[in-house]
Amino acid sequence: MSSPLIELKNIKKKYTTKAGDFPVLKGINLNIEEGEFISIMGKSGSGKTTLLNILGLLDKFNEGEYTFRGENISNFNENRKSEFRNKNMGFIFQQFHLIESLTVYQNIEMPLLYRSGETKEDRRKKIEERLEQVGLLEKRNNKPFELSGGQQQRIAIARALVTDPYLILADEPTGALDSETSDDIMELIKKLNDDGKTIIMVTHDKDLKRYTTRDVYLKDGEFSEEATI
Ligand SMILES: Nc1ncnc2c1ncn2[C@@H]1O[C@H](COP(=O)(O)OP(=O)(O)OP(=O)(O)O)[C@@H](O)[C@H]1O
Ligand SMILES: [Mg+2]
């Protein structure tokens, strides 16, 4: 039997502040299979972003083990983490996180510039393919501020996809959008999952359950039954 895409074993995380230690995750166990579209739900402050950042190797944890495709990645140094992230993961954020001084095209190009051995022409093909996929090829030379919120999120999705990652991590991807635009973006993300991408999405919006294949609920640093959050 093949191992899951992701295995988290007894992950514990505390923030150390001047006010003292603050435990956020108290022993998280989670297996994610390739092809799942999983949401992490829970109230504000329940640790959703912290968990997503750990899954995305953007934040450290204090105890436990993180295995990705059978490989223990818990002890990677920062360089290996960056390389691993760039190769395997794409990120989508609530506030899009596009670079305002760059064009749409250049924003999508960014993750490819960290890689060696790709020509400008290789990059152009990948970028245009993704621009087409999100339906915004004609905006390639615009700056982010010239786009609507929904269009900016589409560009952020194109940027997340340009490296063809195994895994998409999305933190409240519709949190800054009106409900109609949210539906469009969720349809686009759902389509990525239909095409085989594994997706982990953080949200506090229970309506988004209609798009996912599985939902987990965080409460007080542990997984909980839905009814109790
Ligand atoms: N860098 C930090 N230092 C100290 N405490 C932190 C830090 N980041 C988050 N926390 C605390 O950890 C807890 C979990 O935060 P987190 O951002 O993971 O919650 P969340 O579930 O994503 O909330 P929201 O729905 O509001 O985004 C919160 O109580 C928060 O105050
Ligand atoms: Mg959050």
Side-chain angles (χ1 to χ4, degrees):
M1 211 184 79
S2 66
S3 49
L5 182 66
I6 284 175
E7 267 184 286
L8 295 185
K9 282 192 200 138
N10 199 28
I11 297 287
K12 294 186 185 170
K13 165 79 179 173
K14 60 175 191 268
Y15 288 110
T16 302
T17 68
K18 281 183 187 152
D21 279 357
F22 185 75
V24 180
L25 303 176
K26 300 176 182 169
I28 293 291
N29 294 294
L30 180 65
N31 282 7
I32 299 173
E33 304 290 336
E34 221 155 304
E36 282 199 274
F37 183 178
I38 182 166
S39 77
I40 300 169
M41 300 204 178
K43 286 188 182 148
S44 182
S46 59
K48 303 183 297 296
T49 295
T50 302
L51 179 55
L52 198 76
N53 286 346
I54 286 173
L55 285 162
L57 297 178
L58 296 168
D59 203 354
K60 294 193 175 80
F61 46 93
N62 304 103
E63 270 182 56
E65 202 175 285
Y66 179 0
T67 315
F68 193 100
R69 297 193 129 207
E71 185 176 16
N72 185 346
I73 60 177
S74 311
N75 302 319
F76 278 12
N77 65 26
E78 288 307 319
N79 272 347
R80 275 193 84 185
K81 278 186 191 168
S82 302
E83 205 178 300
F84 192 87
R85 258 198 314 269
N86 185 266
K87 185 159 175 267
N88 297 293
M89 300 172 176
F91 294 87
I92 306 170
F93 303 95
Q94 178 170 356
Q95 301 296 342
F96 325 131
H97 290 193
L98 297 172
I99 299 172
E100 294 296 329
S101 59
L102 300 181
T103 64
V104 158
Y105 184 96
Q106 290 168 329
N107 265 282
I108 301 170
E109 189 176 32
M110 282 301 282
L112 298 175
L113 295 177
Y114 292 105
R115 306 181 153 199
S116 51
E118 270 187 34
T119 66
K120 209 173 165 186
E121 182 59 16
D122 292 337
R123 294 200 298 271
R124 190 185 61 77
K125 276 192 201 134
K126 290 181 182 179
I127 297 162
E128 288 182 354
E129 185 189 334
R130 297 311 180 180
L131 272 167
E132 225 163 297
Q133 186 177 1
V134 301
L136 287 174
L137 194 55
E138 77 280 8
K139 298 288 186 191
R140 50 181 292 157
N141 295 321
N142 287 82
K143 293 277 178 68
F145 74 88
E146 295 167 325
L147 272 53
S148 70
Q151 288 172 336
Q152 290 189 52
Q153 193 60 302
R154 282 175 185 272
I155 298 306
I157 291 171
R159 179 185 56 188
L161 291 171
V162 78
T163 53
D164 199 20
Y166 286 116
L167 177 67
I168 301 281
L169 296 155
D171 194 348
E172 302 272 9
T174 62
L177 305 173
D178 64 52
S179 67
E180 202 177 314
T181 312
S182 295
D183 289 345
D184 291 345
I185 292 295
M186 285 311 301
E187 290 295 342
L188 178 60
I189 295 175
K190 171 79 167 62
K191 175 100 188 2
L192 303 179
N193 180 243
D194 292 342
D195 293 344
K197 292 275 181 238
T198 308
I199 298 171
I200 307 175
M201 173 179 74
V202 158
T203 183
H204 60 257
D205 185 353
K206 287 189 183 173
D207 280 353
L208 301 188
K209 274 165 57 172
R210 64 183 191 274
Y211 297 101
T212 56
T213 59
R214 181 158 66 110
D215 310 293
V216 295
Y217 300 89
L218 263 182
K219 190 188 178 195
D220 299 332
E222 294 175 319
F223 286 135
S224 125
E225 295 296 320
E226 176 183 10
T228 63
I229 67 164

